[in-house]
Amino acid sequence: MLPGLMRSAPGVEEPGHFDYYYWNKDMAFVCFLVFLTLLVKSRDASHNKLDSEVLPKVARMTVSGKKQTMGFDVPSTGENGVVVTATEAASKRPETPSKGSNGDEHITVPTPARSTGKARQAINIKAELEKRQGGKPLLNLVVIGHVDAGKSTLMGHLLYLLGNVNKRTMHKYEQESKKAGKASFAYAWVLDETGEERDRGVTMDVGMTKFETNSKVVTLMDAPGHKDFIPNMITGAAQADVAVLVVDASRGEFEAGFEAGGQTREHALLVRSLGVTQLAVAVNKMDQVNWQQARFQEIISKLGHFLKQAGFKESDVFYIPTSGLSGENLATRSSVSQLTSWYSGPSLLEQIDAFKAPQRSVDKPFRLCVSDVFKDQGSGFCVTGKIEAGYIQAGDKILAMPPNETCTVKGITLHDEALDWAAAGDHVSLTLTGMDIIKINVGCVFCDPKEPIRVCTRFRARVLIFNIEVPITQGFPVLLHYQTVSEPATIRKLISVLHKSSGEVLKKKPKCLSKGMNAIVEIQTQRPVSLELYKDYKELGRFMLRYVGSTIAAGVVTEVRDNVKTRNGLMFFPV
Ligand code: GDP
């Protein structure tokens, strides 16, 4: 999760393992958090207004270029203190509400059923995955770094070298960029085209491009490098397995990106917090510093120290001297003698190829967190998102939480190819029928109707408090971020303060929480949210808390307090 928070216990190689014994003890870490928050604060100053405006309202996210709210209703306390959501109460409440054995009021919902439409052929998902794409595992890669570090140029050029952009198109970009007086941006335009597509809201690949290495199929996620980055990062890069951090080697430029106000540290820390453990650092624009080894080493030593503090293992960070503009060390090893005289390591592509493919939770019940919703030309509508767990087949019935309704998967598309099935790790587009598009929004989770995701408005979590100016007290308003969800919430209770390394309770019911503390808190969301315990699904059980433009804490869900239980097809909100 966070530096310290995410370190694995001995013998536990699971990335992102959360273990108190490895919560960072040293003060350097706390100082680091202080620094981070200052960074985030200064960087986010212009966004303070935005987030503070959002807080009391409904979270808004851009969906296919248009603003859309999430489909969660504000729960209201009904008769007998039963919490129900407005639409559910209206649409689902039976004429005479039934009572559960414990006196809880039940709201009847359709009994979930497995696919009834197209006959579902049993498949051996692991064997199918092996077969797919010549057995190449899928890797989701995000490119991060300070604005102007050369991210788009680097990746655009790499895609060109890989043959993903034909010569004619590249020529067109060169001509157009020259005409626009931005000749040096020609390669960057390769990725910008995806941006246009995204704005039109017609494709599934929201800022995503696919390319192949010898042993992997890579989904490249294009994360914007400017100010809006943090909220986008949390929703977008949460889906990444590995990252390429691009830094500008030019004198003064690396420093500008790395010091206060730059985005290098912030991005690296955020991807680490979001579960990324393997990182390639492209020390870019080496042409600007005459391919000097001394400059490369200087950057490595500055960055290395920081990345270690941020929770990256030294053995999982790889530095490559590159030039996105001239193409050195991108798809093939460089032949520039000034560089080869001291660097004989892998090219960027070789490094991406060498990343370990993550373990996917294909054995767990199906989960997909919606990142986009749009109307298709045919019947039904489409949602996109990454399958976090399990798999689906065309014809399956899946459950959307909220609104707790089932629909049928009419089609599955992966990288613009229609498929019969898709599994954990895949960024897919699903064509759905049997449900109104209006009910689905960014942040909804589709799941296996037999084993639905937890839905709650109240949960407990272990959090690590970043540097904050105002201590957190009961009732503190926050914005809860995880996956594609961004939801107003409050810190309902401060349960305990924990020892940083042992996890032992130091104080029960503290009055406030201040910087650097580890604590158990109870969080109350305005509307029901779908999430999981961290121990069951890491991806759906970790989150960040933001407050007026700053990330103030990161945490993991330990207990769901008011699970919107589904028992025998009945759903109720116990108080
Ligand atoms: P981004 O904001 O990180 O995506 O950066 P861009 O890819 O848009 O690049 C910013 C500027 O740096 C553009 O003018 C690029 O042509 C230039 N640039 C990118 N990579 C290199 C490089 O390796 N060497 C030099 N000299 N310039 C580069």
Side-chain angles (χ1 to χ4, degrees), residues 25 45 71 101 108 191 193-194 223 287 319 340 399 414 426 466 508 522 526 533 572:
K25 286 179 257 174
S101 55
T108 311
L191 287 177
E193 191 183 52
T194 317
D287 54 298
Y319 298 89
T340 52
L399 178 70
L414 174 69
D426 292 345
F466 286 26
K508 284 192 176 161
E522 190 166 306
Q526 280 189 10
L533 301 184
F572 61 93

Side-chain angles (χ1 to χ4, degrees), residues 137-304:
L138 206 84
L139 198 65
N140 294 304
L141 177 135
V142 67
V143 183
I144 55 171
H146 190 64
V147 66
D148 282 348
K151 298 178 292 296
S152 311
T153 305
L154 187 97
M155 295 317 292
H157 201 155
L158 179 64
L159 291 174
Y160 172 68
L161 293 172
L162 290 173
N164 287 32
V165 191
N166 66 37
K167 283 215 165 93
R168 241 182 65 209
T169 313
M170 199 61 239
H171 184 69
K172 190 181 106 197
Y173 291 148
E174 274 164 7
Q175 297 298 316
E176 285 174 2
S177 57
K178 223 179 259 169
K179 231 190 258 167
K182 292 181 172 182
S184 68
F185 281 90
Y187 288 117
W189 285 22
V190 172
L191 287 177
D192 282 352
E193 191 183 52
T194 317
E196 277 171 30
E197 281 175 13
R198 186 181 347 171
D199 289 342
R200 290 204 302 269
V202 287
T203 65
M204 64 145 286
D205 287 326
V206 181
M208 285 177 209
T209 318
K210 182 184 99 165
F211 65 89
E212 287 194 30
T213 66
N214 281 340
S215 68
K216 311 263 169 10
V217 174
V218 182
T219 306
L220 167 67
M221 282 174 291
D222 186 20
H226 32 78
K227 291 180 198 151
D228 302 343
F229 191 66
I230 293 208
N232 291 349
M233 179 88 172
I234 294 168
T235 54
Q239 304 175 350
D241 305 312
V242 296
V244 170
L245 168 65
V246 182
V247 295
D248 184 342
S250 321
R251 297 241 161 246
E253 291 304 323
F254 168 75
E255 287 72 14
F258 189 59
E259 305 306 341
Q263 288 137 27
T264 308
R265 291 173 190 251
E266 190 181 2
H267 289 188
L269 183 75
L270 276 162
V271 288
R272 185 65 193 87
S273 302
L274 292 164
V276 170
T277 55
Q278 303 177 80
L279 184 72
V281 181
V283 180
N284 195 35
K285 305 198 189 178
M286 282 298 290
D287 54 298
Q288 293 285 65
V289 292
N290 295 323
W291 317 100
Q292 274 171 20
Q293 184 180 14
R295 179 61 174 160
F296 181 69
Q297 291 301 346
E298 184 188 352
I299 289 171
I300 288 188
S301 73
K302 283 186 181 168
L303 259 181

Side-chain angles (χ1 to χ4, degrees), residues 30-40 258-260 265 467:
V30 176
C31 295
F32 167 67
L33 288 179
V34 171
F35 182 59
L36 170 81
T37 304
L38 286 174
L39 266 183
V40 173
F258 189 59
E259 305 306 341
R265 291 173 190 251
N467 184 27

Side-chain angles (χ1 to χ4, degrees), residues 54-75:
V54 164
L55 265 179
K57 297 187 204 151
V58 170
R60 279 172 185 277
M61 306 182 83
T62 305
V63 179
S64 299
K66 61 184 193 294
K67 293 280 184 193
Q68 184 165 335
T69 59
M70 295 201 312
F72 299 70
D73 289 325
V74 179

Side-chain angles (χ1 to χ4, degrees), residues 69-96:
T69 59
M70 295 201 312
F72 299 70
D73 289 325
V74 179
S76 60
T77 307
E79 280 172 61
N80 309 331
V82 176
V83 180
V84 293
T85 65
T87 25
E88 274 161 348
S91 64
K92 310 250 171 59
R93 191 187 292 269
E95 279 180 18
T96 321

